[in-house]
Amino acid sequence: MSVLAHESEEELPAWSLPASAGESIRLPSDWPERVTREWAWGGATGAGVRVCVLDSGVELDHPLVGTVQRSVAVSKSGDEITVADDTAGDLCGHGTACAGIIRSIAPECELTSVRVLGAGYTGSAAVLIAGLEWAIEQGFDIVNMSLSTTKKQYVDRLHELADAAYFKRTVLIASAHNMPVESFPWRFAAVVSVGSHESPDPFVVYANPRPPVEFFARGLNVEIAWVGGATINATGNSFATPHIAGICALILSKHRELTPFQLKSVLHLTATNVGGGA
Amino acid sequence: MTDLRAAVAAGVLGAEDGYRGLLRATVEVARAIFHAKASSVLLLDEEADELVFEAVAGEGSDSLLGQRFPSSTGVAGWVLVTRQPLVIDDLTQDTRFSRTAAESTGYVPRGLMAVPLLVDDRVLGVLEVLDRPNVEPFSLAEMDLLGLFGNQAAIALDLLQRARRARAALDGEGELARFAARLENASEERQAAGLELLRALEQLLD
């Protein structure tokens, strides 16, 4: 698929590195001795960071969401899947909620909505995959995935996409499951997986010493944007995920050079239980 | 062969009564666990790609049963498609939802908990619990309880759905039943050949 094809466009050593070439790939390393939240995102607004919300759509002009740069919908007709610009907004309320949370944390980030809901249950996993492929092709910095699939026949493709995104510097942030089932993509090491904690502080983040769930963020009784310009209260890992997406947008807006691997390290080092909050 | 049919038939006997009883018990227990005003099970009709209210306890129970809507719309559709459980309060703020609820049942819930009914990689439907009392703030322990109960309900429903399908196949209309009857009446030689073919088919399907 095209996503995998444009992974490396620059001339860099791919499979081996000659002894003389070490200097030519010197990477910036201006990390302080102690990574603090002030260093990580102090003064950041999310400006310049492109965030994609893969969900049920986002209501246009919701006061808690503000400007949505672009809205597309993924639809399925027979075997054909299309991605097209869309003005129908949100079919459920959930996507608007996620977008509002991201906006509340990173007020100046750029938001794009990709609707992967509404094409019927039967084609839902294929539509989700097509939406994710599109998002990776577009080169978003962050993709918020407050969703999962249990369909095993799509696991390999999802895994390929998660790895492709990782190497293209698109960070996938995915909701973990708090039910005893095998679901994806949150279990993959290449994504940032998120569960909920009970603190009302949107910046309290816990690093989990026992993955696969890697981080816990605010997911209980969260005031969220909903369809019809409404504001309601909700609970679920779905709402913890955009908190981490928002914090990642802040970090990336201040440190554009970070790879997903480095971003995850910063998240870890600034987690509340690792000494973050300082 | 007759023995086999009898054994399978006995195993699935009462599947239909058990099925309805289990659905009723599921919504009643869900309602009791959370001291809620109502609870419902919506099952996925894969052929029609719709969610159907199959059991309802409490408010709205008469008018909701049998109602259908497209499988990937609304909160239940979102839960079905994304496999993620959700709890939402202040639903009355959602005018689109409130209007639809009022038109279909006359009852507009304030809060909603919804969990997907999952078995292996399949999703059977959605369990909803409406209007739990607001005395205690909602906790993640309740969310986990909802998930655990949803899991148990899904496993039980799946078992009974399989039994129902087995019974339908044995009830004479199905191809399997016709095949079994022909095999039973065939000569010994043909029976042996038929069973040989069945074993080959089984290998093919493995």
Side-chain angles (χ1 to χ4, degrees):
Chain A
M1 202 46 207
S2 49
V3 169
L4 295 172
H6 20 109
E7 256 172 47
S8 68
E9 287 159 354
E10 296 167 41
E11 283 279 331
L12 281 178
W15 314 113
S16 61
L17 185 69
S20 58
E23 197 53 36
S24 71
I25 59 161
R26 178 168 289 282
L27 295 169
S29 59
D30 56 352
W31 285 31
E33 214 165 279
R34 172 86 187 91
V35 172
T36 62
R37 290 187 172 199
E38 180 52 37
W39 176 84
W41 69 75
T45 59
V49 176
R50 297 169 65 227
V51 183
C52 171
V53 178
L54 204 66
D55 212 290
S56 57
V58 174
E59 182 166 284
L60 299 174
D61 304 321
H62 192 291
L64 295 184
V65 177
T67 307
V68 175
Q69 199 71 22
R70 190 175 175 194
S71 294
V72 301
V74 187
S75 56
K76 188 169 187 282
S77 172
D79 283 340
E80 199 178 332
I81 294 180
T82 48
V83 181
D85 284 304
D86 177 72
T87 53
D90 190 343
L91 295 185
C92 160
H94 194 276
T96 304
C98 292
I101 292 168
I102 295 168
R103 176 68 78 214
S104 72
I105 291 177
E108 292 187 24
C109 74
E110 190 182 286
L111 284 171
T112 294
S113 160
V114 177
R115 194 174 68 228
V116 290
L117 188 83
Y121 167 76
T122 317
S124 55
V127 164
L128 175 105
I129 298 253
L132 181 59
E133 280 172 352
W134 185 84
I136 297 169
E137 277 168 17
Q138 299 295 311
F140 288 105
D141 297 302
I142 294 167
V143 179
N144 187 90
M145 301 180 72
S146 289
L147 40 79
S148 49
T149 181
T150 46
K151 298 226 167 173
K152 290 203 172 76
Q153 71 263 41
Y154 292 100
V155 171
D156 286 348
R157 182 64 190 141
L158 260 182
H159 217 148
E160 283 175 353
L161 286 172
D163 282 347
Y166 183 88
F167 290 121
K168 278 196 79 190
R169 299 195 177 200
T170 293
V171 185
L172 306 186
I173 303 180
S175 292
H177 235 136
N178 55 353
M179 298 174 66
V181 289
E182 286 268 318
S183 63
F184 310 93
W186 69 274
R187 281 175 179 275
F188 303 151
V191 312
V192 176
S193 59
V194 188
S196 304
H197 63 58
E198 294 192 318
S199 163
D201 185 335
F203 285 96
V204 166
V205 173
Y206 292 100
N208 184 7
R210 283 181 292 277
V213 183
E214 287 184 293
F215 296 98
F216 297 110
R218 184 185 182 201
L220 179 74
N221 293 320
V222 186
E223 194 180 71
I224 53 168
W226 200 254
V227 285
T231 306
I232 63 180
N233 267 299
T235 294
N237 292 347
S238 295
F239 309 114
T241 306
H243 279 92
I244 295 289
I247 292 170
C248 286
L250 291 181
I251 297 170
L252 282 182
S253 73
K254 197 169 168 186
H255 304 280
R256 293 296 300 168
E257 75 286 356
L258 296 185
T259 64
F261 160 71
Q262 291 169 316
L263 180 65
K264 207 186 261 194
S265 302
V266 174
L267 271 181
H268 176 89
L269 292 170
T270 55
T272 308
N273 58 330
V274 184
Chain B
M1 204 65 199
T2 315
D3 287 352
L4 175 68
R5 280 184 74 196
V8 176
V12 300
L13 209 64
E16 192 58 38
D17 288 349
Y19 186 69
R20 288 285 140 206
L22 176 75
L23 280 169
R24 253 195 321 276
T26 302
V27 288
E28 279 163 9
V29 173
R31 190 179 166 214
I33 291 176
F34 294 101
H35 309 286
K37 274 198 182 153
S39 172
S40 42
V41 166
L42 300 101
L43 291 183
L44 174 68
D45 176 346
E46 282 207 46
E47 217 161 285
D49 213 350
E50 288 175 329
L51 274 166
V52 189
F53 278 95
E54 291 283 358
V56 183
E59 299 273 358
S61 52
D62 297 332
S63 46
L64 277 177
L65 264 185
Q67 281 203 27
R68 302 171 156 262
F69 57 91
S71 67
S72 61
T73 56
V75 173
W78 190 88
V79 168
L80 181 87
V81 170
T82 66
R83 319 291 197 271
Q84 290 285 338
L86 271 190
V87 178
I88 293 171
D89 286 323
D90 322 320
L91 263 176
T92 45
Q93 304 282 323
D94 181 345
T95 47
R96 196 167 61 186
F97 176 85
S98 312
R99 198 172 50 241
T100 315
E103 278 166 6
S104 57
T105 67
Y107 165 58
V108 181
R110 182 181 37 75
L112 169 77
M113 302 162 69
V115 63
L117 297 168
L118 298 167
V119 177
D120 301 327
D121 65 347
R122 292 168 298 125
V123 53
L124 308 179
V126 176
L127 169 70
E128 288 186 341
V129 179
L130 307 176
D131 282 343
R132 53 179 282 290
N134 226 358
V135 281
E136 295 274 326
F138 189 75
S139 69
L140 291 181
E142 282 178 279
M143 192 83 182
D144 289 343
L145 180 60
L146 179 70
L148 286 171
F149 180 69
N151 185 48
Q152 187 196 21
I155 292 167
L157 268 172
D158 182 50
L159 277 176
L160 276 176
Q161 281 186 347
R162 283 167 196 249
R164 273 177 115 199
R165 281 198 294 273
R167 183 171 182 176
L170 284 167
D171 266 353
E173 293 295 323
E175 282 163 12
L176 198 62
R178 279 205 308 278
F179 178 79
R182 296 276 295 270
L183 201 62
E184 209 174 300
N185 298 327
S187 68
E188 208 168 294
E189 197 178 324
R190 283 177 181 237
Q191 251 187 24
L195 287 172
E196 183 71 24
L197 197 62
L198 264 184
R199 275 192 286 273
L201 181 65
E202 193 181 10
Q203 261 182 348
L204 189 74
L205 295 175
D206 275 348

